[in-house]
Amino acid sequence: MKHRLKQLILAASLAVPALSFANTAFVPPVPEIAGTAYFLLDAQSGQPIATRDADTRIEPASLTKLMTAYLTFKALKEKRLTLEQALSVSPKGWKTEGSRMFLDPKVPTRVDDLIKGMIVQSGNDACVTLAEAIAGSEEVFAQLMTREAKRLGMNHTRFMNSTGLPDANHYTTVRDLSTLASSIVRDFPEFYPIYSLKSFTYNGITQPNRNLLLYRDPFVDGMKTGFTDSAGYNLIASSHRDGRRVVSVVVGTASPEARAVESSKLLNYGLQFFDTPKLYAAAKPVSEVPVYKGDAAKLPIGFNQDVFTTVSKGQAGRLKAELTTQQPVIAPIKAGQQVGTLKVSLDGKPVLERPVVALQSVGEGGFFGRLWDSLKLLLGM
């Protein structure tokens, strides 16, 4: 028997909050950005707000260290490292060129200090030390970096080292970097505050965070700078204001000042002229569907995560949602299993699509119940 599709229109259930600038639908053009490429991401909805050359291959320079940090945080979460663990820098790590936290080969350094040295001081020696502790060698660690990038959906990225030192086969895109930055915020909130530290002192040497926006904008709380002669001056910045978070990636600017100014333009554009209404709450039923051959007749359905969307200010009230579920739904069903799709549109144009999942499991029913439901399906009852 062919499955038939059942569509339910749920526009009335959109819980759009009262928004500021409710009568303002005007959105000016994206400001001119003096860089080779940029990407502005709404971190809550996952939707881009403004981009240029989003998928063009770029040299990430020290923005690479976001992935080094991601894998370090993951190792800590999985208890393969501890913050109190002391590591010694290898000859390779100690000799690595570029920025450093000035590790002493004779003095082991705690992992929590290595993390701060990597993030705040952009220490290449710290990166190599962490990479070797996690993977045995920096070369193997780079392979793990690329594999993790693919898992996160960074499909145009390849890493050759943990530091971002130039290599012809070491590349990414501004879109992929925005994915990585927002993943750190989402997956490791306990470590993210390190990105807001304005300075860090190690081995008697105090180095400032090179992200100038931390000193200028009270809403900016991260993330990372990068520079090489070939890449120019790069900056990933994250701003949290009025319950919203936006992430900007700007690469190829001419100076530390320029990367800060251009990033500020993007962040303010996204925060001033767009909103991120919450449409549905995680784990809260939005509908029920009938279940056949199960130990329950109805299945509550909804979302694993809160559902947000990004719209220009004043347009949230015009959103429409359509929920499509595939019928018949036949037990057994596992909690979290996709059973439908939510599509959100604005004035007939699609803006968002999310999977709809079972919010609870439904096991197989008894013999006679399954037999009766088979008869109903056969007769189309």
Side-chain angles (χ1 to χ4, degrees):
M1 176 180 178
K2 292 184 177 179
H3 288 179
R4 50 196 168 84
L5 293 179
K6 182 179 181 181
Q7 292 186 336
L8 304 174
I9 306 301
L10 299 178
S13 67
L14 284 173
V16 179
L19 301 174
S20 59
F21 302 102
N23 296 318
T24 303
F26 170 71
V27 179
V30 181
E32 285 293 323
I33 303 298
T36 56
Y38 63 79
F39 199 95
L40 179 63
L41 176 75
D42 189 312
Q44 287 165 296
S45 70
Q47 294 171 254
I49 298 174
T51 72
R52 186 173 74 210
D53 293 330
D55 299 312
T56 299
R57 185 178 293 186
I58 64 162
E59 178 188 339
S62 283
L63 303 184
T64 297
K65 294 180 174 86
L66 289 182
M67 181 56 82
T68 305
Y70 190 96
L71 288 179
T72 300
F73 299 153
K74 188 174 183 179
L76 288 165
K77 196 170 187 177
E78 295 173 353
K79 302 188 184 306
R80 292 181 284 116
L81 281 181
T82 67
L83 290 173
E84 300 78 18
Q85 186 174 347
L87 303 176
S88 295
V89 63
S90 68
K92 177 183 178 180
W94 187 71
K95 294 177 182 178
T96 300
E97 61 185 25
S99 55
R100 59 187 64 205
M101 66 180 290
F102 298 102
L103 294 173
D104 185 341
K106 299 177 182 178
V107 181
T109 305
R110 285 167 51 110
V111 168
D112 55 353
D113 283 337
L114 289 168
I115 291 172
K116 293 170 186 173
M118 169 179 59
I119 291 173
V120 181
Q121 300 175 332
S122 203
N124 290 342
D125 47 359
C127 291
V128 175
T129 302
L130 289 166
E132 291 176 343
I134 293 169
S137 72
E138 189 182 21
E139 291 75 19
V140 174
F141 187 80
Q143 295 173 28
L144 296 179
M145 295 170 74
T146 300
R147 186 175 71 178
E148 193 70 13
K150 295 294 185 291
R151 187 188 70 81
L152 292 173
M154 300 167 62
N155 296 318
H156 299 91
T157 294
R158 183 180 181 185
F159 294 111
M160 298 301 293
N161 57 61
S162 63
T163 61
L165 289 172
D167 186 297
N169 293 313
H170 188 96
Y171 55 81
T172 187
T173 67
V174 289
R175 185 193 302 276
D176 281 2
L177 287 171
S178 75
T179 297
L180 176 56
S182 62
S183 295
I184 289 177
V185 175
R186 178 194 66 223
D187 296 342
F188 302 108
E190 67 272 35
F191 296 116
Y192 177 68
I194 299 171
Y195 287 94
S196 66
L197 295 178
K198 293 185 174 68
S199 67
F200 178 61
T201 301
Y202 182 80
N203 202 12
I205 302 170
T206 299
Q207 297 186 63
N209 195 315
R210 298 174 179 86
N211 181 359
L212 297 180
L213 293 184
L214 291 175
Y215 309 92
R216 301 177 180 180
D217 187 334
F219 301 107
V220 171
D221 55 8
M223 290 188 62
K224 190 71 187 74
T225 62
F227 168 76
T228 64
D229 289 336
S230 49
Y233 291 87
N234 304 338
L235 174 61
I236 297 177
S238 180
S239 181
H240 187 256
R241 186 193 306 177
D242 298 329
R244 298 180 62 215
R245 180 174 294 281
V246 293
V247 174
S248 65
V249 183
V250 177
V251 301
T253 68
S255 67
E257 177 67 19
R259 69 186 174 192
V261 170
E262 303 309 302
S263 297
S264 183
K265 288 181 189 176
L266 272 184
L267 294 171
N268 288 326
Y269 176 76
L271 291 166
Q272 183 174 356
F273 295 105
F274 293 84
D275 272 311
T276 313
K278 181 177 178 180
L279 306 185
Y280 297 99
K284 184 176 181 180
V286 297
S287 185
E288 287 186 331
V289 295
V291 180
Y292 294 90
K293 303 184 181 183
D295 57 11
K298 296 286 186 180
L299 173 69
I301 60 176
F303 306 94
N304 283 331
Q305 298 177 332
D306 291 341
V307 178
F308 296 87
T309 192
T310 304
V311 293
S312 56
K313 288 187 181 291
Q315 298 200 5
R318 292 154 58 187
L319 291 168
K320 302 295 181 184
E322 179 180 281
L323 174 61
T324 304
T325 62
Q326 188 161 347
Q327 298 290 328
V329 176
I330 301 175
I333 301 293
K334 293 183 179 180
Q337 179 178 329
Q338 184 173 351
V339 293
T341 302
L342 173 76
K343 295 182 179 180
V344 179
S345 61
L346 178 66
D347 297 335
K349 297 180 180 179
V351 295
L352 182 71
E353 184 172 317
R354 289 287 184 271
V356 180
V357 302
L359 294 182
Q360 66 185 42
S361 297
V362 177
E364 284 190 346
F367 174 77
F368 290 106
R370 286 185 282 117
L371 184 63
W372 174 244
D373 280 351
S374 295
L375 181 62
K376 289 196 294 184
L377 288 169
L378 181 63
L379 298 177
M381 296 172 61

